[in-house]
Amino acid sequence: MSGNGVKAARALLSTSDRSGLAEFAAALGGLGIELVSTGGTGRALREAGLQVTEVAEVTGFPEMMDGRVKSLHPKIHGGLLGLRDNAGHMATLQRHGIAPFELVCVNLYPFEQAISRPGCTLAEAIENIDIGGPAMLRSAAKNHASIYVVSSPDQYPETIARLRADGGRIDPAYGRRLAVEAYRLTSRYDAAVSGYLATKAALAS
């Protein structure tokens, strides 16, 4: 292990697949990491007895438009994209009351599962296109030297093991590995969405 980076203090969680989530979040909490989450994820974590701060409390805006808009806000993406070794970035965060994140745990709306269901309508498929999730993954992955971007429950055990072994510090090399997987995921996801919509467009022409 080589966790010589920043100390993890704050995690952002937004999930559709919640398998293993409570245990993962509890382990983060045990490391002294504050949990911030979107609405549904927050409810699941509170039901598991964990203390969590809602994204709406951070941004000052409620989730709106049936959940279409919740995490697309400077107080979220500023905390993801601010460079720790850039004094100007850090001063901007401080001036606007934005706290950085050191871990992001996001899995995406199950678009492919939705379109595989018999009778899935175009409207239903469109509602299963994730916007905020890929944006958070991409922002965090761009700043992977300071943020672990966890995009699958399969990554939970190693991520916790590394944080524990490294005293809660971020290992930039492992962060890069996670970033690669996040970008692969968003690439596949976009390909699935574009392929589906292209098929619908062809059928309509």
Side-chain angles (χ1 to χ4, degrees), residues 175-196:
R176 188 175 302 114
R177 275 180 49 199
L178 292 173
V180 168
E181 291 305 313
Y183 281 124
R184 283 177 176 160
L185 172 62
T186 58
S187 177
R188 291 193 302 267
Y189 195 83
D190 285 345
V193 172
S194 62
Y196 172 81

Side-chain angles (χ1 to χ4, degrees), residues 141-170:
K142 183 172 181 175
N143 206 8
H144 61 264
S146 302
I147 302 178
Y148 284 166
V149 51
V150 179
S151 56
S152 167
D154 294 340
Q155 297 165 339
Y156 294 172
E158 183 176 3
T159 299
I160 292 299
R162 284 178 172 270
L163 285 168
R164 285 174 174 160
D166 294 336
R169 293 195 173 275
I170 299 300

Side-chain angles (χ1 to χ4, degrees), residues 19-192:
S19 55
L21 176 67
E23 294 81 2
F24 179 63
L28 293 175
L31 289 163
I33 298 172
E34 177 191 359
L35 306 178
V36 178
S37 76
T38 50
T41 301
R43 285 190 293 275
L45 294 178
R46 282 192 297 275
E47 287 170 5
L50 300 175
Q51 184 174 350
V52 60
T53 301
E54 293 272 353
V55 160
E57 296 176 53
V58 174
T59 64
F61 280 85
E63 293 189 12
M64 59 184 70
M65 301 175 191
D66 301 316
R68 283 188 169 206
V69 179
K70 51 194 171 203
S71 60
L72 299 170
H73 192 281
K75 287 207 169 181
I76 300 301
H77 286 272
L80 299 176
L81 287 164
L83 293 172
R84 299 305 187 90
D85 57 357
N86 184 308
H89 285 201
M90 298 311 291
T92 298
L93 292 181
Q94 186 173 19
R95 184 165 63 251
H96 294 284
I98 300 173
F101 293 99
E102 292 77 35
L103 186 142
V104 171
C105 174
V106 172
N107 47 67
L108 305 179
Y109 292 174
F111 178 78
E112 290 180 282
Q113 293 94 315
I115 62 174
S116 69
R117 291 196 297 266
C120 177
T121 66
L122 176 60
E124 290 168 340
I126 287 173
E127 287 309 308
N128 277 279
I129 298 174
D130 203 326
I131 302 300
M136 287 186 285
L137 288 177
R138 292 174 63 84
S139 290
K142 183 172 181 175
N143 206 8
H144 61 264
S146 302
I147 302 178
Y148 284 166
V149 51
V150 179
S151 56
S152 167
D154 294 340
Q155 297 165 339
Y156 294 172
E158 183 176 3
T159 299
I160 292 299
R162 284 178 172 270
L163 285 168
R164 285 174 174 160
D166 294 336
R169 293 195 173 275
I170 299 300
D171 174 7
Y174 181 58
R176 188 175 302 114
R177 275 180 49 199
L178 292 173
V180 168
E181 291 305 313
Y183 281 124
R184 283 177 176 160
L185 172 62
T186 58
S187 177
R188 291 193 302 267
Y189 195 83
D190 285 345

